[in-house]
Amino acid sequence: MWRGILAIVIGVVAVAWPGITINAFVLLFAVYAFFNAGLELVLMTAARGTGPVVGRLLLAVVNIAAGVLAIAWPGLTALVLVIMVAAWAFVAGIAEVVLAFGRGETAGQRAMLALTGLVSLAFGVVLALRPDIGAVVLAQVFGLFSIVSGVSALVAAANLKTHGGQSHTSTPARAQ
């Protein structure tokens, strides 16, 4: 129940104030970069040989630089993250369209793969053409997803409470 309430609150904030959500994503990216740098430094101490040590040290430096740049230029970081999502959506869309013409799929499966591929392609193109608006759209889509997920969690919690914590499934009748 609490997870559902938290998801709804986060979703409302993301939809109402997408700028705050974008900044939170950038901050999370910076925290991830710093955490990953620390992990590389720890792994560096366990590495045997000069090559792995130098490689891990370079990765740690790159991660620290990425975290600092994310904090120093959050707008640029958000733009880069949107472009990365656009590239991912574009490549995934192409892959799904190609898979739609593969062997062994039913007509319905091919149609669904082609449709989701085309939607993903269109999403990637739109984000690439307008990444400034894309960041706001991504934040709002995240918010809407979070709200729906939260409502779903609350309904599941209410259903669980109504049925006394037991799964509500029907049992087949016994033959007599």
Side-chain angles (χ1 to χ4, degrees):
M1 179 178 78
W2 289 109
R3 184 181 56 153
I5 292 170
L6 181 63
I8 291 171
V9 168
I10 289 171
V12 169
V13 168
V15 170
W17 300 290
I20 291 172
T21 305
I22 294 167
N23 288 334
F25 284 149
V26 169
L27 184 62
L28 282 173
F29 173 76
V31 167
Y32 169 78
F34 290 135
F35 177 77
N36 203 22
L39 183 62
E40 290 296 338
L41 291 172
V42 167
L43 291 173
M44 181 184 73
T45 62
R48 302 203 192 286
T50 308
V53 169
V54 171
R56 297 242 181 243
L57 181 60
L58 286 173
L59 284 173
V61 169
V62 168
N63 278 303
I64 291 170
V68 169
L69 290 173
I71 292 171
W73 291 298
L76 181 61
T77 304
L79 182 68
V80 169
L81 291 174
V82 170
I83 290 170
M84 288 174 61
V85 170
W88 166 77
F90 189 78
V91 170
I94 289 172
E96 287 176 328
V97 169
V98 168
L99 287 173
F101 295 102
R103 295 184 189 171
E105 304 291 339
T106 66
Q109 290 170 327
R110 285 195 307 268
M112 201 54 141
L113 277 169
L115 179 62
T116 49
L118 291 173
V119 168
S120 185
L121 260 169
F123 183 61
V125 168
V126 168
L127 285 180
L129 291 176
R130 293 298 306 266
D132 54 333
I133 296 173
V136 173
V137 169
L138 284 175
Q140 291 180 329
V141 166
F142 168 76
L144 292 173
F145 174 79
S146 192
I147 291 169
V148 169
S149 175
V151 168
S152 175
L154 287 178
V155 168
N159 192 26
L160 196 61
K161 186 176 181 180
T162 302
H163 296 292
Q166 296 178 355
S167 176
H168 182 48
T169 58
S170 60
T171 57
R174 289 188 217 176
Q176 296 195 5

